[in-house]
């Protein structure tokens, strides 16, 4: 493992010294005037500060959205398409600023935010511009004299809460379909990573009518819960932990409103003996180390066929130890920092648990403090072997660069182990046998299975989980049904009566 001092590179883009919230087309402070600081996870220094919203701020945001929804919901698909395309164009014009601010705020490598996060966010607005323009409602002739019209109508005000690991990308995933289908939104980004969402808000406020998108900042238990509980929110959408997902589902149930939930995962990455060696090794490394392992669909359980296990693990160890960990703003950095002290502590506690459970730390397992990294939350890429699938380290989401490797003998055995978990968000199979690839993909109980690739999440491919990994599908046209309600107009053209009365 190589490291580099944080002083070696400097970012070009800098965030505003402080931000305000976007409510009703205006940038405002919280009603209480309270603020809180945002910290750079790579060095512990202050980046900026935000208003600390409470229930009264959420109330005025919901009311602004309610007013805006009455007119935005009546706009044509063409108008909404044009707005989405303009948003994407303006984001494209500021792409490098978004790339650098995203890396600065999250601690992920700048080359990663430049290759994935920001381009995919921009594309998502363009994808939904196409979806909404091509969407057609349905007309059915029940018989010669009876017609049924099914119309997709906006739900109204959507309350959305997004996580800290992919702030700009998750904001796009949530906002684009909601705007496209004619809804107004109250969105709360994570208190840890609000910068790029607020920067996106500047663009949204330029393009959209006031109140269509409202962005509030604050802590989950106060501002987030207020969004969930507000009687004016007609739908809830959340990406984050399964623990919080339960609270979102409960709040939606109490109000009898729909909810979409994209939650945690403990995904199985399965390598058969006939896999393309180089691709499988790269897929195993990227599957867990992308974004420092802070990805819900990370391939954190690696199952390797016993015939190639020793050789495969030996090469993984070499690759992990060669990963360049350091300054996220350095274009050559491959892995950055954990998001916070709390997240670092969580990762290290699971590494300690692995030892207690009888597993072996093959490489890594420690906090990185040399070469000026001591002020950040850096941890070594870690491989755990001699583990069993029933251990907590194999069952629970760690959300860090910690890979648990388990050998298997047969296809039936590995499918059983893959399914022996509460989560079902993603997974992968590496093999040259297309029949086996399809068989295993069908058999594993998960919403997304990659074949001979990993971590590809473009628009136009439905993403979402089975079991405790959530409800609904993101990044796909089927989300229209999640952000609309169906109005049926049933028409009779007969002149006579039924003769019942």
């Amino acid at each position: 493992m190589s490291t580099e001092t944080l002083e070696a590179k400097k970012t070009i883009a800098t965030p505003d010294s402080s931000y305000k919230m976007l409510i009703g087309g205006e940038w405002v402070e919280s009603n209480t005037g309270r603020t809180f600081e945002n910290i750079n996870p790579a060095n512990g220094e202050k980046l900026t500060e935000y208003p600390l919203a409470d229930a009264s701020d959420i109330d005025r945001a919901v009311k602004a959205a309610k007013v805006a929804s009455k007119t935005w919901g009546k706009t044509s698909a063409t108008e909404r398409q044009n707005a989405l395309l303009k948003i994407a164009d303006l984001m494209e014009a500021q792409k490098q600023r978004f790339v650098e601010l995203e890396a600065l705020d999250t601690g992920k490598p700048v080359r990663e935010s430049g290759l994935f996060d920001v381009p995919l966010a921009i594309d998502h607005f363009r994808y939904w511009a196409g979806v909404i323009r091509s969407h057609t409602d349905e007309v059915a002739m029940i018989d010669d004299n009876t017609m049924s019209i099914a119309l997709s109508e906006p739900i109204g005000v959507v309350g959305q809460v997004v996580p800290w690991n992919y702030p700009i990308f998750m904001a796009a995933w949530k906002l684009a379909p909601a705007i496209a289908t004619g809804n107004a939104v109250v969105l709360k980004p994570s208190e840890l990573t609000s910068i790029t969402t607020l920067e996106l808000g500047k663009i949204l406020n330029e393009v959209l009518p006031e109140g269509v998108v409202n962005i509030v900042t604050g802590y989950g238990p106060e501002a987030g819960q207020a969004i969930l509980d507000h009687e004016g929110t007609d739908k809830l959408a959340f990406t984050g932990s399964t623990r919080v997902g339960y609270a979102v589902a409960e709040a939606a149930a109490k109000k009898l409103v729909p909810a979409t939930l994209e939650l945690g995962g403990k995904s199985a990455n399965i390598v058969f003996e006939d896999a393309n060696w180089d691709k499988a090794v790269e897929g195993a490394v990227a599957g867990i180390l992308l974004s420092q392992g802070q990805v819900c669909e990370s391939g954190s359980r690696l199952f390797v066929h016993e015939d190639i296990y020793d050789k495969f693990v030996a090469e993984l160890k070499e690759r992990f130890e060669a990963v360049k960990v350091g300054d996220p703003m350095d274009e050559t950095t491959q892995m950055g920092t954990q998001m916070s002290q709390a997240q670092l502590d969580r990762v290290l506690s699971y590494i300690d648990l692995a030892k207690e459970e009888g597993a072996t730390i093959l490489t890594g397992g420690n906090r990185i403090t040399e070469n000026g990294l001591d002020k950040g939350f850096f941890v070594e890429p870690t491989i755990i072997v001699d583990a069993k699938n029933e251990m907590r380290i194999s069952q629970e989401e760690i959300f860090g660069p910690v890979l648990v490797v388990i050998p298997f003998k047969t296809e039936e055995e590995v499918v059983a182990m893959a399914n022996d978990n509460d989560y079902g968000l993603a997974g992968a199979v590496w093999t040259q046998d297309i029949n086996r690839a399809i068989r295993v993909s069908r058999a594993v109980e998960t919403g997304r299975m990659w074949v001979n690739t990993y971590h590809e999440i473009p628009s136009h491919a439905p993403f979402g989980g089975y079991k405790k990994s959530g409800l609904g599908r993101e990044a796909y046209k089927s989300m229209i049904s999640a952000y609309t309600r169906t109005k049926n107009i049933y028409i009779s053209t007969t002149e006579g009566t039924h003769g019942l009365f």
Side-chain angles (χ1 to χ4, degrees):
M1 177 193 66
S2 60
T3 62
E4 181 168 321
T5 61
L6 293 180
E7 291 76 21
K9 297 287 183 179
K10 291 184 179 180
T11 178
I12 297 173
T14 56
D16 295 350
S17 59
S18 64
Y19 286 90
K20 296 181 180 180
M21 300 184 293
L22 178 60
I23 297 179
E26 298 181 355
W27 294 98
V28 300
E29 302 285 359
S30 67
N31 284 330
T32 64
R34 295 183 299 165
T35 62
F36 66 104
E37 293 185 350
N38 182 46
I39 302 300
N40 183 336
N43 59 23
E45 297 176 1
K46 176 182 175 181
L47 281 174
T48 185
E49 62 181 26
Y50 316 116
L52 188 58
D54 64 9
S56 67
D57 297 302
I58 303 307
D59 182 62
R60 58 175 170 158
V62 172
K63 287 178 178 176
K66 184 69 73 175
V67 172
S69 69
K70 302 301 181 184
T71 52
W72 183 247
K74 294 180 181 178
T75 56
S76 68
T78 302
E79 290 175 280
R80 281 175 265 140
Q81 178 197 41
N82 291 338
L84 290 164
L85 291 174
K86 187 173 182 180
I87 291 167
D89 289 344
L90 292 173
M91 289 179 71
E92 190 82 57
Q94 300 180 45
K95 179 182 175 181
Q96 190 59 28
R97 176 171 172 79
F98 276 110
V99 166
E100 293 175 359
L101 290 178
E102 189 78 344
L104 190 69
D105 203 14
T106 62
K108 67 178 62 183
V110 68
R111 71 175 185 176
E112 183 180 315
S113 63
L115 285 172
F116 299 104
D117 305 48
V118 176
L120 289 174
I122 294 170
D123 182 67
H124 202 62
F125 284 100
R126 290 182 174 141
Y127 170 74
W128 274 97
V131 168
I132 199 60
R133 185 64 184 272
S134 62
H135 175 70
T136 56
D137 291 313
E138 296 181 355
V139 177
M141 294 301 300
I142 306 300
D143 56 40
D144 285 346
N145 300 306
T146 313
M147 177 185 296
S148 172
I149 304 175
L151 301 177
S152 300
E153 297 186 338
I155 291 178
V157 176
V158 181
Q160 301 179 329
V161 179
V162 295
W164 47 258
N165 57 338
Y166 282 89
I168 189 68
F169 189 30
M170 291 295 99
W173 267 24
K174 292 292 184 289
L175 289 169
I179 296 168
T181 48
N183 297 286
V185 176
V186 177
L187 181 142
K188 191 194 88 67
S190 168
E191 60 270 20
L192 297 175
T193 54
S194 298
I195 291 175
T196 52
T197 306
L198 291 168
E199 291 286 342
L200 174 59
K202 297 175 183 178
I203 291 174
L204 298 173
N205 202 36
E206 179 181 340
V207 175
L208 301 170
E210 63 183 35
V212 172
V213 172
N214 305 271
I215 302 173
V216 294
T217 53
Y219 297 130
E222 191 170 6
Q225 193 64 45
I227 292 175
L228 304 185
D229 294 337
H230 200 290
E231 288 300 320
T233 52
D234 304 303
K235 175 195 166 55
L236 301 176
F238 171 75
T239 294
S241 71
T242 297
R243 178 184 60 82
V244 178
Y246 278 114
V248 178
E250 181 180 3
K254 286 180 178 178
K255 297 193 297 181
L256 284 179
V257 300
T260 47
L261 308 169
E262 197 257 285
L263 308 177
K266 191 70 176 178
S267 300
N269 200 358
I270 303 168
V271 182
F272 283 95
E273 70 278 11
D274 67 335
N276 179 306
W277 186 268
D278 292 336
K279 285 192 69 176
V281 171
E282 182 184 51
V285 176
I288 188 62
L289 298 188
L290 186 77
S291 201
Q292 300 78 247
Q294 298 172 140
V295 190
C296 51
E297 82 267 10
S298 285
S300 52
R301 288 188 298 160
L302 180 65
F303 296 101
V304 181
H305 193 275
E306 63 179 12
D307 288 354
I308 60 170
Y309 179 85
D310 290 342
K311 182 182 177 183
F312 199 88
V313 170
E315 184 159 341
L316 277 184
K317 181 176 183 293
E318 291 181 8
R319 293 287 294 272
F320 268 53
E321 291 173 352
V323 168
K324 184 174 182 179
V325 182
D327 181 2
M329 306 313 297
D330 183 348
E331 290 281 356
T332 65
T333 292
Q334 294 172 297
M335 198 180 93
T337 173
Q338 302 306 118
M339 187 61 242
S340 64
Q341 182 68 56
Q343 189 59 31
L344 174 65
D345 291 344
R346 175 184 174 88
V347 172
L348 294 177
S349 72
Y350 270 101
I351 293 171
D352 289 339
L353 176 63
K355 301 172 187 176
E356 294 172 12
E357 290 189 305
T360 301
I361 310 303
L362 181 66
T363 188
N366 303 298
R367 182 176 184 175
I368 304 171
T369 57
E370 65 267 24
N371 297 329
L373 303 185
D374 57 300
K375 295 180 181 179
F377 311 118
F378 296 89
V379 65
E380 295 173 329
T382 302
I383 298 175
I384 298 174
V385 295
D386 300 324
K388 299 184 183 303
N389 194 53
E390 60 268 21
M391 290 179 175
R392 285 180 58 194
I393 56 169
S394 305
Q395 291 293 313
E396 299 176 12
E397 187 174 36
I398 299 173
F399 223 61
V402 180
L403 181 64
V404 179
V405 190
I406 300 173
F408 71 91
K409 294 181 179 180
T410 67
E411 181 180 314
E412 293 74 21
E413 178 192 20
V414 75
V415 167
M417 286 194 291
N419 289 337
D420 185 19
N421 191 268
D422 288 339
Y423 296 109
L425 185 59
V429 55
W430 302 81
T431 179
Q432 306 275 6
D433 184 339
I434 187 61
N435 291 332
R436 177 159 61 188
I438 294 174
R439 256 193 335 266
V440 173
S441 296
R442 293 291 304 273
V444 176
E445 297 167 354
T446 186
R448 161 71 60 84
M449 280 293 286
W450 287 285
V451 176
N452 297 330
T453 188
Y454 210 98
H455 274 318
E456 295 196 40
I457 44 176
S459 299
H460 211 118
F463 185 84
Y466 287 7
K467 299 188 283 190
K468 292 183 180 179
S469 289
L471 302 168
R473 293 294 179 270
E474 307 274 1
Y476 194 59
K477 60 184 179 180
S478 62
M479 284 297 286
I480 283 183
S481 64
Y483 282 97
T484 59
R485 49 191 177 184
T486 301
K487 168 71 64 66
N488 180 238
I489 301 175
Y490 194 89
I491 304 170
S492 172
T493 60
T494 59
E495 298 294 336
T497 65
H498 288 292
L500 294 175
F501 298 99

